């Protein structure tokens, strides 16, 4: 595997755009020109910063943005690689013929992004927590201790989960990680160890009897994270949530978002929840459940659904088969890269063993600041502000959708979360003739205006499951209302022009 640094000659113009934007453009150009191929490994952010004579925060910011846009992908313990993103490549091909150097040309790219709106982040309170937490630093932090996480942060997480999510746990159960992907890697390792011990067989047999299941559709990076497993399956989603599949495999692991499925937004029904609990109670086909609590901090109407982990706490077998995964990146800021796992008490030693074998990738020095931020009450106040802020942005998006796209799309008003899913009405799906996947064709055409759209079809792994269902995942938490409206008007124009010629 070659290092992509050998394929590119980076140059930074002091009078041009910010350095991180210049790096982003040059990497994108490398993908378009073929200098960078899918799967090429890029140098570490530290190495690249040193070779260019810039700060590591500059190269990290460029990588983070390109990973968020799907142009690059990050693999735990392996590095950063070039991912496939034809839509961006086609958009950038036009720029190759331009006489304006890429380091000087900066086009604003519009996108619906369900990231954090950092424009309202309480920077003063955060700075105070950073300063206060390091006035008298914990020597164990300086020595790289606390393998499972800073104790005060773990206690703060326990308190937060009980008050906000209704989940009862103790600090011993909390393992602090570097985010959701790191949590999934750690759980894959730990569950493999558990399955081997339960089957009472040698390592090779134990490893082969685990089948990993992801929702269909699902967030693509989740599917990518388990693609190395030989046995995988799809959990189909209907109006009651993830369906329970038939499986004759000894051990099955389901990664799901039961309380707000991404991207469909479906919540698991009580009947479906009971079926899953019954399956986890059985001993002949063992089921494990990794519950991703994706964006459930943001509920605008009604109450939060109870976490699956809390539901199974009264069931003897099932209570030891659910792992809860959360993240601070969707609440505070993306660059924090801090998440956590809540594990059944009986399996904590195995998680600790896996953490030691894999090595902890969570930043320990930042954890005291997060703990202080939570203990001082800033976290709760920030969360309440963001709920109000995102609710207003959701409502503004819905008003704009009704005014411009109601003729062609259907959608439901989400009672929570950070995105709205809009689906093309069936009569227009059949009316518009195209050899390409419909929503991907629209996204390709719209990309000519420097607009990136997340298609519903790209969230499916199997074409047969999304036949007839096409649409877009509109994240409203990141972009401004003005930018959202520009994208919607561009979609309106596309449909108007296409249907005038039908």
């Amino acid at each position: 595997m070659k290092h992509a640094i050998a394929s590119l000659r980076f140059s930074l113009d002091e009078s041009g755009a910010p350095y991180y934007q210049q790096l982003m453009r040059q990497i994108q150009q490398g993908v378009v020109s073929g200098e960078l191929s899918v799967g090429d490994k890029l140098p570490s952010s530290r190495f690249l910063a040193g070779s260019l004579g810039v700060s590591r925060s500059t190269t990290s910011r460029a990588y983070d943005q390109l990973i968020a846009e799907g142009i690059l992908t990050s693999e735990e313990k392996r590095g950063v690689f070039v991912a496939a993103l034809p839509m961006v490549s086609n958009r950038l091909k036009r720029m190759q013929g331009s006489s304006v150097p890429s380091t000087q040309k900066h086009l604003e790219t519009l996108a619906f992004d369900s990231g954090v709106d950092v424009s309202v982040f309480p920077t003063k309170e955060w700075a105070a927590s950073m300063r206060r937490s390091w006035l008298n630093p914990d020597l164990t932090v300086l020595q790289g201790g606390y393998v499972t996480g800073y104790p005060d942060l773990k206690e703060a997480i326990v308190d937060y989960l009980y008050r906000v999510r209704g989940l009862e746990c103790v600090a011993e159960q909390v393992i602090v990680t570097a985010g959701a992907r790191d949590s999934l890697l750690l759980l894959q390792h730990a569950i493999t160890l558990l399955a081997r011990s339960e089957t009472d067989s040698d390592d090779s047999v134990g490893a082969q009897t685990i089948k990993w299941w992801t929702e269909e559709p699902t967030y693509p990076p989740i599917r990518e994270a388990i693609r190395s497993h030989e046995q995988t399956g799809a959990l189909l989603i209907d109006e009651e949530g993830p369906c329970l599949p038939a499986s004759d495999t000894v051990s099955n692991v389901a990664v799901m978002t039961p309380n707000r499925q991404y991207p469909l937004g479906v919540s698991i029904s009580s009947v479906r929840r009971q079926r899953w609990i019954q399956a986890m109670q059985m001993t002949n086909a063992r089921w494990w459940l990794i519950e991703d609590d994706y964006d459930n901090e943001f509920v605008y109407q009604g109450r939060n659904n109870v976490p699956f982990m809390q539901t199974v706490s009264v069931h003897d077998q099932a209570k030891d088969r659910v792992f809860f995964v959360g993240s601070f990146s969707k609440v505070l800021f993306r660059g924090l890269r801090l998440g956590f796992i809540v594990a059944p008490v009986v399996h904590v030693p195995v998680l600790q063993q896996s953490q030691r074998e894999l090595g902890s990738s969570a930043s320990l020095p930042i954890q005291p600041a997060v703990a202080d931020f939570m203990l001082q009450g800033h976290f709760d106040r920030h969360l309440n502000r963001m709920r109000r802020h995102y609710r207003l942005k959701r409502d503004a998006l819905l008003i704009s959708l009704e005014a411009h796209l109601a003729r062609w799309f259907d959608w439901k008003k989400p009672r929570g979360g950070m995105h709205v899913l809009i689906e093309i009405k069936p009569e227009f799906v059949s009316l518009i003739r195209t050899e390409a996947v419909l929503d991907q064709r629209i996204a390709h055409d719209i990309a000519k205006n420097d607009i990136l759209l997340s298609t519903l079809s790209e969230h499916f792994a199997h074409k047969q499951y999304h036949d007839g269902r096409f649409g877009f995942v509109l994240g409203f938490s990141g972009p401004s209302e003005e930018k959202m409206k520009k994208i919607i008007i561009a979609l309106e124009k596309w449909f108007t022009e296409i249907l005038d010629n039908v």
Side-chain angles (χ1 to χ4, degrees), residues 29 32-34 92-99:
Q29 290 283 1
V32 174
S33 67
L92 290 171
K93 282 180 181 178
R94 303 188 331 279
M95 296 174 56
Q96 283 188 303
S98 172
S99 60

Side-chain angles (χ1 to χ4, degrees), residues 108-122:
E108 180 187 33
T109 300
L110 300 177
F112 280 102
D113 178 16
S114 56
V116 179
D117 188 346
V118 294
S119 66
V120 291
F121 183 74

Side-chain angles (χ1 to χ4, degrees), residues 22 115 120 158 162 164 175 322 396 416 470 475 493 496:
Q22 294 185 37
V120 291
V158 168
Y162 179 71
V164 178
I175 311 290
V322 179
F470 305 98
K493 182 180 179 182
T496 301

Side-chain angles (χ1 to χ4, degrees), residues 5-153:
I5 190 69
S7 304
L8 286 179
R9 292 183 179 179
F10 292 105
S11 61
L12 300 178
D13 181 2
E14 292 184 1
S15 61
Y19 285 164
Y20 83 92
Q21 292 179 356
Q22 294 185 37
L23 283 174
M24 287 173 58
R25 288 290 175 178
Q26 290 176 59
I27 292 172
Q28 290 170 329
Q29 290 283 1
V31 173
V32 174
S33 67
E35 293 177 281
L36 294 178
S37 303
V38 174
D40 279 355
K41 184 177 182 180
L42 275 78
S44 69
S45 59
R46 186 187 302 278
F47 180 89
L48 183 57
S51 65
L52 295 175
V54 297
S55 69
R56 188 183 179 189
S57 62
T58 296
T59 54
S60 294
R61 185 173 182 184
Y63 278 3
D64 287 347
Q65 183 63 35
L66 292 173
I67 290 170
E69 293 179 5
I71 298 169
L72 302 180
T73 181
S74 175
E75 297 185 17
E76 194 65 39
K77 305 299 181 185
R78 295 190 63 217
V80 177
F81 300 84
V82 177
L85 191 59
M87 182 175 66
V88 173
S89 298
N90 289 327
R91 175 172 63 82
L92 290 171
K93 282 180 181 178
R94 303 188 331 279
M95 296 174 56
Q96 283 188 303
S98 172
S99 60
V100 181
S102 63
T103 56
Q104 295 182 12
K105 182 171 183 175
H106 174 62
L107 299 176
E108 180 187 33
T109 300
L110 300 177
F112 280 102
D113 178 16
S114 56
V116 179
D117 188 346
V118 294
S119 66
V120 291
F121 183 74
T123 54
K124 291 183 179 179
E125 290 85 350
W126 175 255
S129 288
M130 290 277 286
R131 183 172 57 254
R132 190 163 40 241
S133 64
W134 277 91
L135 286 176
N136 294 295
D138 187 325
L139 293 181
T140 306
V141 172
L142 298 179
Q143 294 167 351
Y146 302 131
V147 176
T148 62
Y150 185 62
D152 286 356
L153 177 58

Side-chain angles (χ1 to χ4, degrees), residues 198-259:
E198 286 196 354
T199 53
D200 193 27
S201 56
D202 63 30
D203 287 358
S204 61
V205 174
Q208 292 172 357
T209 55
I210 303 176
K211 187 169 185 177
W212 288 77
W213 300 78
T214 57
E215 296 172 321
E216 181 72 348
T218 192
Y219 184 48
I222 292 179
R223 193 163 49 239
E224 291 174 11
I226 68 166
R227 65 183 175 182
S228 61
H229 294 275
E230 292 183 4
Q231 298 189 60
T232 59
L235 300 175
L236 302 186
I237 308 296
D238 61 18
E239 291 301 315
E240 293 191 73
C243 299
L244 180 67
S247 176
D248 55 4
T249 309
V250 173
S251 295
N252 299 275
V253 185
V255 184
M256 64 170 68
T257 51
N259 284 324

Side-chain angles (χ1 to χ4, degrees), residues 25 30 107 122 145 149-150 163 191 193 200 213 229 247 251 281 306 332 335 354 375 410 414 438 462 467 478 492:
R25 288 290 175 178
L107 299 176
Y150 185 62
R163 289 184 295 100
I191 290 175
L193 296 179
D200 193 27
W213 300 78
H229 294 275
S247 176
S251 295
Q281 289 283 91
V306 177
L332 295 177
S354 294
L375 295 171
D410 288 320
L438 180 55
H462 307 283
D467 272 348
E492 179 185 37

Side-chain angles (χ1 to χ4, degrees), residues 407-418:
R407 178 184 174 190
W408 304 292
F409 289 89
D410 288 320
W411 62 84
K412 294 180 180 179
K413 179 180 180 179
R415 71 179 192 89
M418 305 165 77

